Amino acid sequence: MAIIGVIGKPNVGKSTLFNAMTEKVTDIGNYPFTTINPNIGTGYITTKCPCKELNLVCNPKNSKCIDGIRYIPVEVIDVAGLVPEAHKGKGMGNKFLDDLRQADAFIIVVDVSGTTDLEGNPTENHNPVEDVEFLLNEIDMWIYGILSKNWDKLSRKAQQQKNISKVLSEQLSGLNITEDMINEVIKDFDDSPIKWTENDLIELSKRLRKISKPMLIAANKADHPNAEENIKKLREKFKDTIIIPTSGEIELALKRAEKSGLIKYDRINNNFEIIGNVSSQQERGLNFIKEYLKKYGGTGVQDILNKAYFELLNMIVVYPVEDENKYSDKNGNVLPDAHLVKKGTTAKELAYKIHTEIGDKFIYAIDAKKKIRIGADHELKDGDIIKIVSAA
């Protein structure tokens, strides 16, 4: 399962956002390094469940289905706030960066109110573009530090073995950087790694970060008066990056109001209805929230998770079944499991994900919707319902 890392400087509302997108409550405080140890929580990405299309009542086992929307659990990790020169050990730097090794993509949380400086201290009119630039630089320099360690020895080994990507992937193995990724980014580098300069290694680190740790920007505190202008600055600077106006505070407020029976929260249409007795102060607050939802089309929290998995990590959802006619498992559970897989995953690769023995003894698969046989190399599509036939 792919893991999303939530990163940002201190006091950007990172822990609040983490709580809003997961089912684990962490400390929330306005002081540096509220998060000391990494918090790992379960969030849910959402997609249309095939049950509506097929007029079925489903019985999910590894996920949830509410009103025809499938909620699929995913892992989210929130680590200590990052400050400038973290790669040199400043703040919680080295620990922070080490905690991020397992993340497959990053959600960079930025304070678009402009009321915190680079180290998370109170200020005014801070440009959040600077925050993203320093965060990316810290990650680049962290990768560079690992890459350049014992570089003379490493480059000679790569030269002797005539396999640069293999040697470098071994050096970077803890970062989930593959040989294919390295081959992709060194195409225009000198064939002789012993000739690579420090600038070459820094450039290589940047490219490896981009290809191995894709990111989106959560423009948090978007309910602040300064937010709109700062979001515009981010979009002008980072044109090719997904930027989502976000309010973790509002999402948490809606969840609490829903839990207290004050509102009915419509997550599909990003709206709510007041159903409980509220004070005039609560009503004003809820009216403000309603206007925010109209302006941005939601709190941004669900959008962050969905775009991280479906766009950054290029994943699709497929539904393995054992009975292609009833769309069920052997116990009669309809559409029991929703599997997140990379776009381009084949039927046989899905078989291996279900069980190694099923993959080893794969014969063919059946597209349950179309009732047709498909081969081992058939690429699956989002929403496919697949029966695997094996000799296992």
Side-chain angles (χ1 to χ4, degrees):
M1 175 61 70
I3 299 173
I4 299 298
V6 181
I7 66 174
K9 69 185 184 185
N11 297 332
V12 294
K14 194 159 52 68
S15 292
T16 301
L17 182 60
F18 176 79
N19 288 341
M21 69 171 68
T22 68
E23 294 192 340
K24 178 176 179 178
V25 177
T26 64
D27 291 332
I28 300 172
N30 187 29
Y31 51 90
F33 313 119
T34 303
T35 303
I36 302 298
N37 296 312
N39 294 303
I40 299 175
T42 300
Y44 289 88
I45 58 167
T46 58
T47 188
K48 285 185 179 179
C49 181
C51 66
K52 287 284 188 182
E53 172 193 347
L54 299 171
N55 197 27
L56 298 169
V57 176
C58 60
N59 313 99
K61 289 164 57 183
N62 75 339
S63 48
K64 300 186 287 189
C65 183
I66 303 172
D67 297 327
I69 300 296
R70 187 65 72 115
Y71 290 76
I72 303 165
V74 292
E75 198 167 317
V76 184
I77 181 169
D78 168 39
V79 296
L82 191 63
V83 296
E85 298 192 344
H87 68 279
K88 296 180 180 178
K90 189 172 179 182
M92 296 292 294
N94 289 329
K95 175 173 172 46
F96 166 93
L97 293 165
D98 196 55
D99 289 337
L100 278 182
R101 287 175 183 271
Q102 59 192 300
D104 298 286
F106 292 146
I107 295 168
I108 294 185
V109 185
V110 176
D111 176 5
V112 290
S113 71
T115 57
T116 47
D117 65 18
L118 285 175
E119 297 195 355
N121 300 312
T123 189
E124 292 182 5
N125 302 318
H126 178 71
N127 186 349
V129 167
E130 296 177 23
D131 297 346
V132 179
E133 288 176 335
F134 104 73
L135 285 163
L136 295 181
N137 182 64
E138 290 303 325
I139 297 167
D140 293 342
M141 295 308 293
W142 166 54
I143 296 173
Y144 166 75
I146 299 169
L147 190 63
S148 62
K149 191 175 182 182
N150 301 319
W151 177 248
D152 288 343
K153 181 180 177 182
L154 200 68
S155 60
R156 285 196 300 273
K157 181 180 177 182
Q159 187 96 343
Q160 290 164 358
Q161 294 187 3
K162 296 183 180 179
N163 194 337
I164 301 170
S165 58
K166 184 176 186 294
V167 173
L168 295 189
S169 68
E170 288 171 355
Q171 179 77 352
L172 300 167
S173 60
L175 276 64
N176 295 332
I177 293 175
T178 65
E179 288 185 49
D180 287 343
M181 291 176 182
I182 294 168
N183 282 327
E184 180 66 27
V185 300
I186 63 171
K187 287 177 180 177
D188 58 347
F189 276 57
D190 194 294
D191 290 339
S192 176
I194 59 175
K195 295 179 181 178
W196 293 359
T197 65
E198 181 181 8
N199 286 338
D200 287 332
L201 292 181
I202 292 172
E203 175 60 26
L204 175 57
S205 300
K206 289 179 181 178
R207 294 183 185 186
L208 288 172
R209 184 257 303 162
K210 288 178 182 177
I211 199 170
S212 68
K213 308 286 185 186
M215 65 143 191
L216 63 77
I217 296 172
N220 200 34
K221 304 186 186 179
D223 49 311
H224 191 278
N226 297 341
E228 200 163 355
E229 181 60 30
N230 283 325
I231 291 170
K232 184 180 176 184
K233 290 176 184 176
L234 287 168
R235 285 179 169 155
E236 286 173 352
K237 179 66 178 179
F238 304 102
K239 291 183 173 66
D240 298 326
T241 302
I242 298 169
I243 298 171
I244 302 173
T246 309
S247 177
E249 285 277 8
I250 285 180
E251 179 67 27
L252 270 186
L254 288 170
K255 283 186 173 181
R256 287 166 180 159
E258 179 183 45
K259 191 174 181 180
S260 300
L262 299 179
I263 65 167
K264 184 178 180 181
Y265 188 9
D266 181 354
R267 289 171 172 79
I268 297 173
N269 297 305
N270 290 303
N271 204 349
F272 64 88
E273 175 189 356
I274 298 175
I275 58 174
N277 295 320
V278 296
S279 66
S280 57
Q281 184 179 358
Q282 286 173 323
E283 187 174 9
R284 283 194 300 274
L286 288 169
N287 286 336
F288 173 82
I289 289 174
K290 196 172 279 282
E291 288 304 310
Y292 176 89
L293 296 178
K294 282 181 186 176
K295 181 176 181 179
Y296 289 114
T299 65
V301 174
Q302 188 62 61
D303 212 17
I304 287 169
L305 285 170
N306 285 355
K307 287 186 184 295
Y309 281 88
F310 295 133
E311 295 187 32
L312 288 188
L313 295 175
N314 210 21
M315 304 195 93
I316 61 172
V317 182
V318 295
Y319 301 82
V321 296
E322 295 182 65
D323 186 328
E324 72 273 26
N325 296 307
K326 295 180 180 179
Y327 304 102
S328 67
D329 63 12
K330 63 182 178 182
N331 296 316
N333 295 303
V334 176
L335 299 171
D337 296 323
H339 282 238
L340 269 172
V341 298
K342 280 278 188 185
K343 192 176 287 185
T345 293
T346 64
K348 189 168 185 177
E349 287 169 339
L350 175 64
Y352 273 110
K353 287 180 182 295
I354 295 169
H355 197 283
T356 303
E357 190 178 0
I358 293 174
D360 286 341
K361 298 182 179 181
F362 178 93
I363 302 174
Y364 62 89
I366 296 173
D367 181 323
K369 286 182 182 178
K370 296 179 179 178
K371 302 294 188 289
I372 59 172
R373 183 183 292 202
I374 56 178
D377 296 331
H378 177 87
E379 287 190 7
L380 305 178
K381 300 186 303 298
D382 189 48
D384 274 354
I385 304 172
I386 303 294
K387 175 183 178 176
I388 303 294
V389 179
S390 78

